[in-house]
Amino acid sequence: WYQRRVRGSGAASFSSQPPKQYGNEETLHKQEEINTEILQPKAEKLVEDEFRKREEDLERRERQLRDEQKRLEDARVYGDRVPNFPPLPKFFPCTPCFYHNIDFDIPPEHQILVRRLFYHWQFTVFCYLFNFIVCFALICGLGSDYGSAFGLGILYAALFIPLSFLTWYRMAYHAVRQDSSIRYMLFFFMYGMQIFVSGIAALGFGGGGFAGLDHCV
């Protein structure tokens, strides 16, 4: 009786387990394979399209950069050079006469040198204008004895300021821009003349129109 009961309980426990569902795992594997076969080509195609778009965008940007660089090079040699110097207000009756752009015209390795020359020319302009102001003060404070100095001060300011720009600064500007040996020689010659005249102006002998050391003493 005991053995029958044990056998019966074993049969009951065995029959209480749910029946295995054969074929479900195989169906799932097949479904995954089908999904992989369908979705993987689509994913690869999306990735390829994305890479193609990026490559086309990079090529387009590269072409734009090449075109812009060529345009700048052509403009540097031949291009549309609108005069912008001296900078004058729009209401002024005159217009600028020269094109001046150190960052655009001058090679990077020579820009500091040309910029220093430009500062030197600006200092020269300041000296001529200051000389004119001092000569005007002399004629106002000491009478008509300094009338000739005042007139020469006006002449020097009106004549030497544009000449200094054209003869030595502009010459150096184009010499560096075009790498011209002839312009270099002309620059050194005219710049030496400028130093000589500046030395005479600093001393300021007699009534030569320069308010130099002689008038200060």
Side-chain angles (χ1 to χ4, degrees):
W1 178 81
Y2 176 76
Q3 290 180 355
R4 291 179 182 176
R5 184 159 184 173
V6 170
R7 290 177 182 176
S9 61
S13 62
F14 179 77
S15 62
S16 63
Q17 293 179 358
K20 293 185 179 180
Q21 296 179 358
Y22 296 101
N24 288 341
E25 187 175 355
E26 184 178 356
T27 305
L28 291 175
H29 282 298
K30 289 184 178 180
Q31 186 67 32
E32 289 178 358
E33 291 178 358
I34 294 173
N35 292 336
T36 303
E37 293 176 356
I38 295 175
L39 296 178
Q40 186 174 359
K42 292 183 178 180
E44 292 178 355
K45 186 177 180 181
L46 290 175
V47 173
E48 291 178 359
D49 293 341
E50 184 67 22
F51 276 116
R52 189 180 298 108
K53 288 180 181 179
R54 291 184 180 182
E55 187 176 0
E56 291 176 355
D57 186 59
L58 289 175
E59 291 178 355
R60 179 178 56 81
R61 292 183 181 181
E62 187 178 358
R63 286 195 300 270
Q64 290 177 352
L65 289 175
R66 286 199 302 266
D67 294 341
E68 183 68 16
Q69 185 177 4
K70 185 177 182 303
R71 187 188 67 80
L72 292 176
E73 290 295 333
D74 293 342
R76 177 177 293 181
V77 180
Y78 310 103
D80 186 12
R81 304 169 63 82
V82 179
N84 60 354
F85 190 85
L88 299 173
K90 293 182 179 180
F91 61 85
F92 206 72
C94 299
T95 57
C97 303
F98 307 98
Y99 180 80
H100 182 264
N101 190 341
I102 295 176
D103 295 329
F104 183 78
D105 279 343
I106 306 302
E109 61 271 17
H110 300 304
Q111 289 181 3
I112 296 177
L113 174 63
V114 176
R115 193 167 278 111
R116 287 177 180 175
L117 286 174
F118 183 64
Y119 294 154
H120 184 197
W121 177 78
Q122 289 179 324
F123 179 72
T124 303
V125 173
F126 168 77
C127 290
Y128 283 121
L129 295 177
F130 183 74
N131 178 74
F132 163 72
I133 294 172
V134 172
C135 291
F136 180 73
L138 287 174
I139 195 174
C140 291
L142 300 178
S144 59
D145 294 338
Y146 291 91
S148 60
F150 175 69
L152 290 174
I154 297 175
L155 178 64
Y156 294 155
L159 184 63
F160 288 159
I161 289 176
L163 282 180
S164 62
F165 180 82
L166 293 173
T167 54
W168 61 267
Y169 172 71
R170 192 71 174 170
M171 195 68 63
Y173 185 91
H174 284 293
V176 176
R177 176 173 173 262
Q178 300 174 359
D179 195 18
S180 173
S181 58
I182 296 177
R183 291 181 182 272
Y184 274 117
M185 289 189 295
L186 291 174
F187 160 72
F188 285 119
F189 175 76
M190 300 307 299
Y191 193 67
M193 294 293 294
Q194 173 66 44
I195 294 174
F196 177 74
V197 173
S198 298
I200 295 176
L203 295 175
F205 293 120
F210 292 115
L213 295 175
D214 184 60
H215 292 286
C216 294
V217 174

